[in-house]
Amino acid sequence: MAVHYCALCRRTSFAGRRHLYGAAHRRRLREALGRLQEEVAAARAALGGAAVRRYEPAEHERRVWCLCCGRAVRRDWRRGGLALPQAGLLHHLAGPEHRRETARFWRENRAEAALRERFLVSPEDYGRFAAALAQALGAYEEREEERIRQMAAGIREAERRQRETVQAALEVGAAAGSRAPHAEPELCAGPSVCSSTAAPARDSSHNAEQPGPSSMQTGPDLNWMESGQALTFIGHQETEGKGNVHTGAKPPWLTEEDEGDGSEQQIGPSYEEFLRQKDKQKLKKLPADRVGANFDHTSQTGDSWLPSFGRVWNHGRRWQSRHQFRAESGEKKKKR
């Protein structure tokens, strides 16, 4: 019996070509053709109306696996920043290579001959689709150009209004400057007289229409005081030895503190305390019954005496250390 390898089922059959008529092969063939038929039906639906959209990588970079040709085909075409939906798949389905490979696939897998035309696109249908696609692409480009022209016109109009506003402001400023040298100062008998006589002039100048968008105020309003009111001068208020940023003094965050001031207080532990605490943390990691663990640092001994290391070196005889060690070792073994 001949050996046959089925690429669709990905298995070797020792029954020869009888494998193509088996239930397993027919089921896999039907499922694979069903998946491809969904993509071909979506592409055929696009034959009636060509569309042009903005290019989106997540949407228009998709590929479709062609079961007949055994390769992935790009579904949409791209032209600059535009995407042409279903154009790539329709171009592949209408090509002679796909038609030839479809005939071979149907012959090798013994598929139903009536279904083969559903997976093909005639050159005439694709030609009409290509013409409609070119027309839709031209119309889209014309709309984009018109939109760009409208935006450019709006920008030019805004710039023209801005130039007119600036020119009007300059003319008003030049007129006010030409009238200022000819004005004669008037002497006032008192604050109340000056305020009453100068109020109408201020009101008239304030009520005049200022050039610019929505009469935007470009400086502080100095005419806030009502007419007829007078201000009383109380003199310069200064604090001896101290000042603030309004009087020209140095701000507090730039002043240098006196080093001899006793009010300085250190925050947190000192560096020496930190080192001592660090040494204590290291000693905690050592075994508790090591030699010198119970060293008495407070004992008062002379220079001629040996240092104490705990146990019998501090209290008792030397042989007691051995018995004490054995007793402790026995207790530890019993606890275990």
Side-chain angles (χ1 to χ4, degrees):
M1 188 65 66
V3 178
H4 175 73
Y5 175 75
C6 180
L8 181 64
C9 300
R10 296 181 181 180
R11 56 171 294 186
T12 301
S13 175
F14 293 94
R17 299 184 65 85
R18 288 194 303 176
H19 165 76
L20 302 177
Y21 302 96
H25 177 79
R26 307 301 294 181
R27 185 181 67 255
R28 290 190 178 90
L29 178 62
R30 186 166 52 254
E31 293 174 356
L33 291 179
R35 291 191 295 269
L36 180 59
Q37 189 175 1
E38 293 178 0
E39 300 291 343
V40 175
R44 282 179 171 274
L47 288 172
V52 179
R53 299 176 184 174
R54 289 188 177 275
Y55 176 74
E56 296 291 341
E59 181 181 358
H60 299 116
E61 284 293 335
R62 183 182 172 189
R63 294 180 178 270
V64 178
W65 178 259
C66 181
L67 183 65
C68 303
C69 302
R71 65 186 182 92
V73 180
R74 190 169 181 174
R75 187 188 64 178
D76 305 332
W77 275 355
R78 178 184 178 185
R79 182 173 179 179
L82 304 178
L84 311 178
Q86 303 295 340
L89 183 57
L90 287 174
H91 177 75
H92 173 75
L93 295 176
E97 181 183 0
H98 176 74
R99 184 175 295 273
R100 183 172 58 254
E101 292 297 327
T102 301
R104 180 191 59 78
F105 181 84
W106 247 252
R107 183 175 60 254
E108 291 181 355
N109 293 277
R110 295 294 187 269
E112 298 181 14
L115 300 177
R116 187 172 65 177
E117 292 298 326
R118 298 181 182 180
F119 298 88
L120 299 174
V121 175
S122 63
E124 293 78 10
D125 294 342
Y126 179 74
R128 288 191 292 269
F129 171 77
L133 186 62
Q135 185 177 0
L137 186 60
Y140 184 87
E141 291 178 352
E142 290 180 0
R143 290 195 301 270
E144 287 294 319
E145 291 177 359
E146 181 64 25
R147 185 177 64 86
I148 292 173
R149 283 195 294 267
Q150 292 178 0
M151 292 176 60
I155 293 173
R156 287 193 295 267
E157 181 65 20
E159 291 179 351
R160 184 186 62 80
R161 290 197 299 266
Q162 185 177 7
R163 286 194 300 268
E164 291 179 355
T165 302
V166 174
Q167 185 66 24
L170 293 176
E171 291 177 357
V172 171
S178 62
R179 289 196 300 268
H182 302 286
E184 295 181 359
E186 298 180 358
L187 299 178
C188 302
S192 60
V193 178
C194 292
S195 62
S196 61
T197 57
R202 288 197 299 267
D203 295 340
S204 61
S205 63
H206 176 66
N207 294 332
E209 183 178 357
Q210 298 294 333
S214 302
S215 299
M216 183 175 60
Q217 183 177 352
T218 58
D221 187 9
L222 301 178
N223 302 325
W224 56 271
M225 187 177 64
E226 297 181 359
S227 60
Q229 293 182 355
L231 297 179
T232 302
F233 179 71
I234 60 175
H236 297 285
Q237 303 295 321
E238 296 182 358
T239 306
E240 297 182 359
K242 294 184 179 180
N244 52 33
V245 293
H246 303 289
T247 59
K250 185 180 294 185
W253 53 86
L254 295 180
T255 57
E256 298 180 359
E257 298 180 357
D258 297 336
E259 297 181 356
D261 190 2
S263 61
E264 296 183 358
Q265 185 178 2
Q266 186 177 4
I267 301 175
S270 62
Y271 183 68
E272 291 75 10
E273 294 177 358
F274 169 73
L275 294 179
R276 287 196 294 269
Q277 184 66 21
K278 189 175 180 181
D279 294 339
K280 290 181 181 179
Q281 294 295 334
K282 290 182 179 180
L283 292 176
K284 288 182 179 180
K285 298 180 181 180
L286 299 176
D289 55 349
R290 69 187 186 280
V291 176
N294 298 327
F295 179 73
D296 188 5
H297 294 271
T298 61
S299 60
Q300 299 293 334
T301 55
D303 297 337
S304 61
W305 182 248
L306 295 176
S308 60
F309 293 98
R311 289 186 180 273
V312 298
W313 292 96
N314 288 337
H315 306 286
R317 297 178 176 83
R318 187 171 183 177
W319 59 270
Q320 293 177 352
S321 176
R322 182 172 64 255
H323 291 284
Q324 186 178 1
F325 177 78
R326 289 178 179 176
E328 291 178 357
S329 301
E331 292 177 359
K332 292 182 181 178
K333 290 180 179 179
K334 289 179 181 179
K335 289 180 181 180
R336 292 179 183 175

